[in-house]
């Protein structure tokens, strides 16, 4: 019993001693706050500001894609069961994964961008590679890391000379791969499971480039969705177009043979001539029926292609941002002050806690 009481007394925290200790060391806190404020400002002020732009899309969803009324009911509870009724292999929930695809990211490199002040006008690849502002305080660390990596990695001398159109998504150099990862971190995509609304957000150091890339990424995503949803029907259109052209060629040859026979055999009296003419006339009728059938099928497939082509409603369009989205300098300094105060306070009173 005595040992238990001793343990309880040892673990009792005397708040008066804690407050008195903190008050007696208030000048220490003043020094900590001053140095923390100075160092935080030195670190955060050179950090380049960045801007953020967002667009929102509502893609057209047909009944086939949504899986009927059951999918609509399920979507109201946050579930998507569109695959039950439809044949879509890429659901809207998978669109964010598309933004990590090398083919999709490399496809953005040729987009022409221009800074708000007009000093830089180039493609997005060159802009990201050569015109990004950096914190000068991090330069020694970056330089040191590059030198260390160069000791273990082979230098790719051709990677710096490649243009936007020369990048191969299948085989990239390390520098181009790191650049691709940087672009991926600047672009984000989110899908509302209940409404299937697509939100695309892009961050960049220049507000005009930010808005331009946001709108361009939206267009690239729309093109991808359209190509995917109409790929099968587009192949059918090309197939029936080839069959229609082949049927037209066969019809023209049959018409030419029939016309030539009629021109060279006027008023035929022999039964063999009449049989030959009837045969050519019958073949011409078959070729004409085949051409008519292919033309009808081609037109029907074109109508189906138009029906399959999805439409998009822009709920929120891209706008050049006015205020930067970060870094939050005041919040950073305040957070550092709170952290320094907490750590210093703990170091002073930890003997009363342990």
């Amino acid at each position: 019993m005595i040992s238990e009481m001793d343990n309880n007394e040892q673990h009792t925290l005397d708040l008066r001693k804690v407050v008195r200790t903190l008050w007696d060391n208030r000048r220490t806190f003043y020094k900590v706050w001053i140095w923390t404020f100075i160092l935080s400002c030195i670190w955060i002020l050179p950090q380049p500001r960045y801007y953020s732009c967002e667009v929102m899309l509502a893609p057209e969803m047909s009944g086939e894609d949504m899986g009927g009324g059951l999918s609509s009911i399920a979507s109201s509870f946050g579930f998507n069961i569109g695959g039950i009724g439809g044949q879509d292999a890429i659901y809207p929930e998978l669109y964010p994964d598309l933004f990590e695809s090398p083919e999709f990211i490399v496809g953005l490199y040729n987009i022409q961008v221009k800074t708000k002040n007009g000093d830089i006008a180039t493609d997005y690849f060159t802009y990201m590679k050569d015109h990004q502002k950096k914190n000068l305080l991090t330069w020694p660390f970056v330089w040191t890391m590059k030198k260390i990596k160069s000791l273990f990695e082979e230098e790719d001398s051709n990677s710096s000379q490649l243009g936007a159109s020369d990048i191969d998504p299948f085989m990239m150099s390390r520098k181009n791969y790191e650049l691709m990862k940087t672009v991926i971190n600047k672009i984000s995509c989110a899908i509302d499971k209940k409404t299937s609304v697509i939100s695309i957000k892009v961050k960049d150091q220049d507000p005009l480039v930010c808005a331009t890339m946001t709108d361009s990424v939206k267009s690239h995503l729309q093109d991808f969705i359209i190509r995917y949803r109409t790929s099968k029907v587009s192949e059918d259109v090309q197939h029936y177009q080839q069959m229609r052209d082949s049927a037209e060629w066969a019809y023209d040859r049959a018409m030419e043979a029939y016309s030539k026979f009629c021109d060279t055999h006027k008023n035929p009296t022999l039964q063999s001539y009449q049989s030959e003419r009837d045969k050519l006339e019958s073949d011409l009728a078959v070729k004409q029926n085949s051409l008519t059938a292919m033309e009808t099928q081609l037109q029907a497939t074109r109508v189906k292609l138009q029906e399959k082509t999805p439409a998009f409603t822009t709920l929120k369009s891209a706008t050049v941002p006015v205020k930067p989205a970060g870094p939050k300098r005041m919040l950073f300094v305040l957070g550092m002050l709170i952290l320094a105060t907490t750590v210093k306070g703990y170091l002073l009173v930890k003997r009363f806690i342990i």
Side-chain angles (χ1 to χ4, degrees):
M1 291 293 294
I2 297 177
S3 60
E4 291 181 0
M5 293 179 63
D6 293 339
N7 291 335
N8 291 335
E9 291 179 357
Q10 291 178 359
H11 288 84
T12 301
L13 180 63
D14 192 341
L15 293 179
R16 289 178 297 178
K17 292 183 178 180
V18 171
V19 174
R20 188 182 304 111
T21 301
L22 296 177
W23 178 255
D24 293 340
N25 292 272
R26 60 187 181 276
R27 292 186 177 181
T28 304
F29 282 100
Y30 297 156
K31 295 178 181 180
V32 170
W33 291 339
I34 293 174
W35 280 106
T36 302
F37 179 81
I38 293 174
L39 294 176
S40 299
C41 291
I42 291 176
W43 174 259
I44 196 62
L45 290 179
Q47 288 286 351
R49 287 190 176 275
Y50 63 86
Y51 297 81
S52 178
C53 183
E54 183 182 19
V55 295
M56 299 178 67
L57 288 175
E60 178 188 49
M61 303 294 289
S62 62
E64 177 182 306
D65 296 330
M66 290 298 291
L70 181 61
S71 178
S72 300
I73 296 174
S75 64
S76 64
F77 293 95
F79 300 98
N80 191 327
I81 56 173
I84 295 178
Q87 299 177 349
D88 238 356
I90 301 181
Y91 305 114
E93 286 78 5
L94 299 180
Y95 292 160
D97 297 333
L98 174 66
F99 284 72
E100 298 182 3
S101 169
E103 291 81 5
F104 185 85
I105 298 300
V106 172
L108 303 175
Y109 285 168
N110 287 309
I111 298 174
Q112 296 297 313
V113 296
K114 184 178 181 180
T115 56
K116 189 175 182 180
N117 56 17
D119 293 341
I120 302 173
T122 181
D123 58 79
Y124 189 60
F125 174 76
T126 305
Y127 170 78
M128 288 297 302
K129 183 169 65 74
D130 301 330
H131 302 286
Q132 288 295 289
K133 300 177 183 178
K134 297 179 181 179
N135 189 347
L136 296 178
L137 297 178
T138 62
W139 184 84
F141 303 99
V142 175
W143 183 83
T144 303
M145 292 302 298
K146 285 184 178 181
K147 289 299 181 182
I148 295 175
K149 288 183 179 180
S150 64
L151 298 176
F152 304 96
E153 300 173 357
E154 296 182 358
E155 182 69 20
D156 191 355
S157 58
N158 296 325
S159 61
S160 60
Q161 301 176 359
L162 295 177
S165 58
D166 300 324
I167 304 300
D168 183 8
F170 182 74
M171 182 178 295
M172 291 185 290
S173 64
R174 179 171 293 274
K175 288 183 178 180
N176 291 330
Y177 179 79
E178 292 176 353
L179 179 64
M180 182 192 69
K181 299 297 290 184
T182 301
V183 174
I184 290 176
N185 292 331
K186 287 179 173 290
I187 301 173
S188 62
C189 177
I191 305 295
D192 191 321
K193 294 183 179 181
K194 294 183 179 180
T195 61
S196 296
V197 173
I198 306 172
S199 299
I200 301 173
K201 183 180 292 185
V202 177
K203 297 179 181 179
D204 197 84
Q205 295 178 359
D206 186 83
L208 182 57
V209 174
C210 180
T212 302
M213 288 307 302
T214 305
D215 190 67
S216 299
V217 171
K218 179 197 72 171
S219 300
H220 273 66
L221 179 62
Q222 289 177 342
D223 293 340
F224 170 81
I225 297 174
I226 291 174
R227 287 196 305 271
Y228 168 72
R229 293 189 181 276
T230 61
S231 59
K232 178 60 172 66
V233 185
S234 298
E235 293 177 359
D236 292 342
V237 170
Q238 295 179 0
H239 173 69
Y240 286 117
Q241 182 67 52
Q242 294 176 355
M243 294 185 65
R244 188 262 180 199
D245 294 341
S246 178
E248 185 179 19
W249 182 87
Y251 173 77
D252 292 339
R253 300 289 79 77
M255 175 63 75
E256 182 180 355
Y258 178 75
S259 300
K260 184 180 295 185
F261 182 86
C262 292
D263 291 340
T264 56
H265 299 81
K266 295 182 179 180
N267 300 321
T269 56
L270 296 178
Q271 184 62 37
S272 60
Y273 290 163
Q274 294 180 3
S275 298
E276 184 67 20
R277 184 188 64 183
D278 293 342
K279 179 181 178 181
L280 293 174
E281 187 175 355
S282 176
D283 183 64
L284 178 62
V286 171
K287 296 295 191 296
Q288 184 178 10
N289 292 335
S290 177
L291 176 60
T292 302
M294 289 299 101
E295 183 68 31
T296 303
Q297 189 66 40
L298 177 61
Q299 296 301 325
T301 310
R302 286 176 176 173
V303 172
K304 187 177 180 181
L305 175 61
Q306 181 63 31
E307 294 176 352
K308 281 286 186 178
T309 303
F312 297 89
T313 301
T314 303
L315 303 179
K316 182 180 180 182
S317 59
T319 305
V320 177
V322 178
K323 297 181 179 180
K328 305 294 185 181
R329 295 173 177 174
M330 295 300 297
L331 292 180
F332 175 81
V333 174
L334 180 60
M336 291 297 100
L337 290 173
I338 294 175
L339 178 62
T341 303
T342 304
V343 173
K344 185 60 179 177
Y346 174 78
L347 295 176
L348 291 174
V349 303
K350 68 177 182 179
R351 64 178 181 271
F352 299 111
I353 300 177
I354 298 176

